[in-house]
Amino acid sequence: MIRLKTEEQIAGIRRSCKMLSALFCELKPLVKPGITTIELDRWVHNWIQKAGGKPAFLGQGDRKNPFPASICISINEQVIHGIPSKRKIVSGDLVSLDCGIDLDGFISDQAITVEVENVSDEAHQLNSVTRECLERGIAAVKPGARLLHIAHAVSEYAHANGYGVVYQYCGHGVGFAVHEDPTVPNEPHGANPRMSAGLVIAIEPMINAGTGDVDVLDDKWTVVTADGRLSAHWEHTIAVFKDHVEVLTERIV
Ligand code: MG
Ligand code: MG
């Protein structure tokens, strides 16, 4: 069931989103060769606590195998849900950072993909197209329009560039919980409700250089491309009002 938000509730989600984007602005320059992903996770955890929020992703999922970190860091062929570790970032890595904050019960969700120093042309092109897929998905959000317009916009642009769209993982409603209804796919399938005032969703294209097929590693979290080729991921939290649409998270430069 879709839980629509009041303007007051959206104001709370907006505050959470602004905090999250401020975090990304400070985090992005730290993603450099030599730093380990667990160091980045500790930095994120401390930043969120100091800012007065809670890391929304920490402990998510199955109680027997909860997500053990405050941020998902997925490198190269890793698509999403990468677990921070002793792995060092190296030049040429394509690093997806996905984080959420719980601020006074209001949840935000954003992801960016960082090109570390000199990435291949293939990686740069994939990242640019994925970012544009997100923008096209956002442009498809209109009060009264159907949800799958987003998937059409995202997938058409990805396929026109010869890329695969991850279809087993999707965007989602957000704001009161990390994952709410509706499911927001990047390839058109499933329910197609109208987008009405009070809808708050995370749109998050996951685009692969090869096919859209993915596997999950033995850690039961890390999602990787089935063909081992690169993947990129961008995400914003978006609110629908009666007569306009607002991207609540900030675009990170
Ligand atoms: Mg996310
Ligand atoms: Mg999300």
Side-chain angles (χ1 to χ4, degrees):
M1 194 187 73
I2 298 173
R3 298 166 74 194
L4 298 175
K5 280 79 178 175
T6 65
E7 297 216 1
E8 202 180 346
Q9 289 163 338
I10 292 175
I13 301 166
R14 185 186 293 112
R15 282 194 297 277
S16 180
C17 286
K18 300 305 175 200
M19 179 182 280
L20 179 57
S21 297
L23 179 153
F24 271 111
C25 284
E26 291 186 42
L27 172 63
K28 191 182 166 193
L30 304 179
V31 184
K32 289 276 183 262
I35 196 161
T36 64
T37 54
I38 195 87
E39 287 171 321
L40 291 171
D41 177 61
R42 285 201 201 102
W43 184 93
V44 166
H45 188 91
N46 291 337
W47 193 100
I48 293 172
Q49 287 203 316
K50 266 192 228 155
K54 285 184 229 155
F57 293 0
L58 183 62
Q60 279 290 309
D62 185 354
R63 244 193 316 158
K64 286 190 200 130
N65 185 32
F67 192 73
S70 300
I71 185 167
C72 302
I73 304 181
S74 309
I75 303 176
N76 298 333
E77 80 288 354
Q78 299 175 348
V79 179
I80 49 167
H81 300 167
I83 299 175
S85 70
K86 290 180 185 158
R87 177 172 177 170
K88 279 189 175 145
I89 303 284
V90 299
S91 180
D93 276 345
L94 196 56
V95 181
S96 301
L97 306 162
D98 187 358
C99 193
I101 292 178
D102 175 342
L103 180 63
D104 304 324
F106 296 111
I107 313 291
S108 49
D109 196 356
Q110 182 168 16
I112 68 171
T113 295
V114 178
E115 299 171 20
V116 181
E117 295 186 341
N118 299 315
V119 301
S120 65
D121 291 345
E122 185 192 29
H124 175 70
Q125 177 69 10
L126 173 67
N127 197 26
S128 303
V129 168
T130 305
R131 194 169 192 180
E132 177 62 20
C133 283
L134 173 56
E135 292 301 331
R136 290 180 182 224
I138 291 169
V141 179
K142 293 197 171 68
R146 294 282 182 184
L147 187 79
L148 290 183
H149 285 190
I150 299 167
H152 283 288
V154 167
S155 61
E156 277 166 22
Y157 190 67
H159 293 314
N161 282 277
Y163 293 142
V165 178
V166 175
Y167 50 89
Q168 286 154 287
Y169 295 86
C170 299
H172 48 89
V174 68
F176 297 150
V178 172
H179 289 107
E180 299 177 34
D181 285 339
T183 295
V184 182
N186 295 304
E187 285 277 15
H189 65 84
N192 192 15
R194 286 192 193 280
M195 297 181 273
S196 50
L199 182 74
V200 179
I201 51 173
I203 301 178
E204 51 178 315
M206 292 149 260
I207 307 298
N208 296 349
T211 73
D213 298 329
V214 296
D215 291 321
V216 181
L217 297 185
D218 288 341
D219 63 24
K220 296 201 168 66
W221 277 107
T222 313
V223 177
V224 298
T225 57
D227 59 12
R229 294 183 66 185
L230 294 171
S231 186
H233 180 210
W234 286 83
E235 178 176 30
H236 278 300
T237 297
I238 292 113
V240 179
F241 295 86
K242 203 169 53 183
D243 52 7
H244 70 287
V245 170
E246 181 183 341
V247 183
L248 299 176
T249 41
E250 302 277 340
R251 291 174 175 86
I252 308 299
V253 285

